[in-house]
Amino acid sequence: MAKMERPSWLGYILDSLRTELAVASLRSLALIVASKLLVLLSSILIARWLGADGFGVYASLVAAALVLGVIAQLGLPTLLIRNLPVYEVREKWGLMRGLLQRSNSVVVASSLILAGIALAIAWNVGGGLSDTRGAAWLWAAALIPIASLNTMSASGLRGLRRVVSAQVSDALIIPGLLFLLVGAWWVFGESLGLDELSPDAAIALRFAVTAVAFLVGTALLVKSLPPAVRNARPAYDNANWMRAALPLFFLASATIITTQTDVLMLFALQSNASAGVYQTAARGAELITFSLLVVSGVVQPTISRLHELGDLDRLQNVVTGAARFALVLALPVALGLAVFAEPLLEFVYGAEFSRGAACLMILSAAQVVNVSAGLVAQILIMTGHVRDAAIGMTLGAVVNVILNALLIPRWEIEGAAVATGISLVVWSLFLSGRVKTKTGLASGAALLRR
């Protein structure tokens, strides 16, 4: 009998695409692509209009609001995603209602407290909130609770398996409306008697579109709830919820800190313009990881299914092939960004942003290492090792903060790029090692076929 040829990693993924979950993943991927494009386009419009200095204020305060928002969420969004399906299957409607009510009330309280602290710091450091920068701080503080609640409603939809609805409210409405509003202001603002866009006005627009997304997401969540939940008496499992949310809190906090520390520390230690220039370079380098994001959206269900079946040979085949596929797509993007960094930044954002070329090259190299390491965090999470993923991301966040504090005063934006690049490589390699230790899998693209 002829030896049966082992199916390729792509074959396993294509098999998984026949399932309803994978079809939903493809729809989700289409929304992710649209969202990323809209985020990029709206950022380009805002950066070109505000200039490096104004865009630095906008990007830094939005980043601060997002960081504080994630901290205020205390890991509860992921807890919703994990627990709501379990309660639905077991028909524990009281616990479902209790978790939704308790998590949202906790997030409201914690986000308002953090917003108040942020305003108090701004008042003491800035000497008041009466000028344009003070108005920007006010809008950024207001963004903290509304962005946190929007994340909660989107996570509730994901927990109820309404993935597409969640992404429409969370990932499409915000960048889409922001792009339309800023574009309309750009085209029709003068004829309507509007002033030129300022950082505080841009953050106010960000608040407005986030509020719309929250209202839409909440309406969709209420509509998606099983009828039995509305009539159920709330039940609370606070101790278990807290224990489960703790590692998720560290994972989410470390992730957002790692991605936003550089901009915030440039804003604090250098200048608005430095933060603005750096932000455009950092967001440009993130295009390299887009292939990893695309592969992740398709492969995650396959990782979970094969791990549950205990089929490690097939799982290794999928993981390695996915990493190689992502790297093949990422390398031309990285090469193009590195070679044409300066003219690209000048053409897309304007002449004053071209000094971020060295940052773009440094971050591009680090992102290539990140992609070549493969789906390290996703593998750990999909195989039940969330704590290890949280430890790795926390390590990366700590390294990022320390190196930024040391290198920014010496090398300014290039120092921030080196610090972030090193921290990215550190957590990628650390998590790759944890994947090998915990699952026996090699996550990266370099594994030789067995």
Side-chain angles (χ1 to χ4, degrees):
M1 181 181 293
K3 184 178 180 181
M4 183 177 295
E5 183 180 354
R6 181 201 288 190
S8 68
W9 69 276
L10 185 58
Y12 296 126
I13 295 173
L14 290 175
D15 284 342
S16 75
L17 294 182
R18 297 190 180 98
T19 67
E20 180 182 353
L21 179 59
V23 171
S25 295
L26 288 179
R27 292 173 184 161
S28 173
L29 270 174
L31 288 172
I32 290 173
V33 172
S35 174
K36 293 295 181 183
L37 288 175
L38 289 169
V39 167
L40 181 61
L41 290 172
S42 59
S43 295
I44 291 171
L45 278 181
I46 295 172
R48 291 192 71 92
W49 200 345
L50 296 179
D53 190 82
F55 186 67
V57 174
Y58 168 81
S60 300
L61 292 183
V62 169
L66 294 178
V67 169
L68 292 175
V70 169
I71 293 172
Q73 292 157 25
L74 300 172
L76 293 171
T78 309
L79 187 68
L80 288 179
I81 296 172
R82 281 177 44 176
N83 282 25
L84 291 186
V86 175
Y87 295 156
E88 185 175 18
V89 169
R90 298 177 181 176
E91 298 186 351
K92 298 195 175 211
W93 311 121
L95 282 173
M96 181 181 287
R97 183 171 181 176
L99 178 57
L100 287 167
Q101 290 183 351
R102 182 56 50 83
S103 59
N104 277 282
S105 62
V106 167
V107 168
V108 168
S110 59
S111 62
L112 288 175
I113 291 170
L114 287 176
I117 293 172
L119 286 178
I121 293 172
W123 182 277
N124 290 318
V125 173
L129 299 171
S130 57
D131 58 2
T132 300
R133 184 160 174 168
W137 274 98
L138 284 170
W139 282 115
L143 184 60
I144 296 170
I146 198 68
S148 300
L149 288 172
N150 178 58
T151 300
M152 294 298 293
S153 63
S155 298
L157 284 167
R158 287 185 174 91
L160 294 172
R161 293 175 288 111
R162 305 296 192 273
V163 178
V164 174
S165 296
Q167 291 191 317
V168 167
S169 67
D170 184 41
L172 203 59
I173 289 178
I174 293 176
L177 277 182
L178 187 61
F179 173 69
L180 290 175
L181 289 176
V182 174
W185 196 324
W186 186 305
V187 175
F188 303 110
E190 186 175 353
S191 62
L192 294 174
L194 298 174
D195 295 331
E196 286 210 359
L197 192 69
S198 59
D200 59 306
I203 300 174
L205 289 179
R206 179 66 178 254
F207 171 85
V209 300
T210 305
V212 171
F214 164 65
L215 292 174
V216 172
T218 301
L220 290 172
L221 177 60
V222 171
K223 184 179 179 181
S224 301
L225 286 174
V229 175
R230 300 186 184 95
N231 301 320
R233 183 177 180 180
Y236 303 100
D237 191 9
N238 295 321
N240 285 327
W241 290 342
M242 288 179 63
R243 278 195 297 270
L246 187 60
L248 301 174
F249 165 71
F250 282 112
L251 177 60
S253 299
T255 301
I256 193 69
I257 289 171
T258 299
T259 58
Q260 305 294 346
T261 291
D262 38 17
V263 174
L264 291 173
M265 294 188 72
L266 278 168
F267 180 68
L269 300 176
Q270 291 294 321
S271 65
N272 301 339
S274 295
V277 170
Y278 180 86
Q279 177 79 340
T280 58
R283 298 296 82 85
E286 287 178 359
L287 292 174
I288 296 167
T289 63
F290 187 71
S291 62
L292 202 61
L293 181 65
V294 169
V295 169
S296 173
V298 178
V299 169
Q300 281 190 73
T302 306
I303 293 174
S304 179
R305 181 170 62 84
L306 293 178
H307 178 262
E308 185 67 23
L309 293 172
D311 196 340
L312 292 183
D313 286 337
R314 291 187 177 187
L315 182 52
Q316 182 65 79
N317 198 27
V318 168
V319 166
T320 304
R324 290 177 175 176
F325 183 71
L327 185 60
V328 167
L329 293 181
L331 283 175
V333 178
L335 184 61
L337 290 175
V339 172
F340 301 106
E342 187 171 349
L344 272 174
L345 288 172
E346 182 173 352
F347 174 76
V348 174
Y349 292 100
E352 60 184 329
F353 292 91
S354 62
R355 70 184 181 99
C359 296
L360 183 53
M361 289 187 280
I362 294 167
L363 293 171
S364 295
Q367 292 291 8
V368 168
V369 176
N370 179 28
V371 173
S372 65
L375 303 168
V376 283
Q378 292 85 347
I379 294 171
L380 288 170
I381 293 170
M382 290 295 105
T383 56
H385 302 290
V386 178
R387 189 179 300 273
D388 293 275
I391 291 171
M393 294 303 297
T394 302
L395 173 65
V398 171
V399 170
N400 200 353
V401 171
I402 293 173
L403 289 181
N404 270 290
L406 293 175
L407 299 182
I408 286 176
R410 184 168 185 175
W411 294 326
E412 206 195 17
I413 59 174
E414 288 80 9
V418 171
T420 299
I422 291 175
S423 67
L424 189 61
V425 170
V426 165
W427 76 255
S428 295
L429 296 180
F430 177 85
L431 289 183
S432 182
R434 299 309 292 174
V435 168
K436 184 66 176 177
T437 300
K438 292 295 184 177
T439 68
L441 299 169
S443 64
L447 177 71
L448 295 176
R449 293 283 186 189
R450 293 180 184 178

